[in-house]
Amino acid sequence: MTEVENTDIEMSSMMIIAHSGEARTLAYEALKAAKKGNFDQASELMKKSEAEGNEAHKTQTDLLVAEAKGEKTPFSLLLVHSQDHLMTSMVVQELCKELIELYSVKQDKEILK
């Protein structure tokens, strides 16, 4: 059984953290835009957020595939931390999408008054 190099794990972990963090930041920016009624901007920011999240997820998937092929991944607190970032950003994206939808419905109702 081969072992994934520690430097590879560290690099992958940092990539997951960086892309997840950007995904989370963009999702919050999208929410702020929606709160101001800028739904086109919110939509664009969410697309960017999803692209960043996909990059983080791809890196995670690469690690999972390597492990499934028998490449042992050594325990790394940094890797665990990166997984926390990824999961948090995914939850933030989901919640921001729902809140943006609520702001949109609220605006539509206000327009109809």
Side-chain angles (χ1 to χ4, degrees):
M1 187 178 310
T2 61
E3 190 170 301
V4 178
E5 295 290 323
N6 279 337
T7 55
D8 292 342
I9 297 297
E10 290 171 2
M11 182 59 84
S12 293
S13 298
M14 293 307 293
M15 294 298 292
I16 293 168
I17 290 167
H19 287 293
S20 295
E22 187 65 13
R24 188 173 48 253
T25 297
L26 287 164
Y28 280 129
E29 287 179 14
L31 182 59
K32 288 177 188 175
K35 190 174 183 178
K36 294 177 182 176
N38 300 327
F39 295 103
D40 289 338
Q41 181 185 17
S43 177
E44 283 303 310
L45 288 165
M46 283 306 300
K47 285 178 188 174
K48 290 178 182 179
S49 173
E50 290 168 5
E52 289 289 335
N54 288 340
E55 285 298 316
H57 196 258
K58 180 186 177 303
T59 302
Q60 178 196 46
T61 300
D62 291 345
L63 290 170
L64 292 170
V65 168
E67 185 138 337
K69 289 180 178 179
E71 297 177 26
K72 184 169 172 38
T73 304
F75 174 79
S76 164
L77 189 55
L78 185 62
L79 182 58
V80 172
H81 182 64
S82 75
Q83 299 304 294
D84 288 342
H85 274 269
L86 178 56
M87 295 307 298
T88 301
S89 68
M90 292 170 72
V91 170
V92 166
Q93 285 174 319
E94 291 174 26
L95 289 173
C96 284
K97 285 179 192 175
E98 291 297 320
L99 290 168
I100 289 167
E101 177 70 23
L102 287 173
Y103 279 125
S104 177
V105 168
K106 179 184 175 205
Q107 182 178 5
D108 289 348
K109 286 184 177 183
E110 289 174 358
I111 290 172
L112 293 175
K113 286 183 180 180

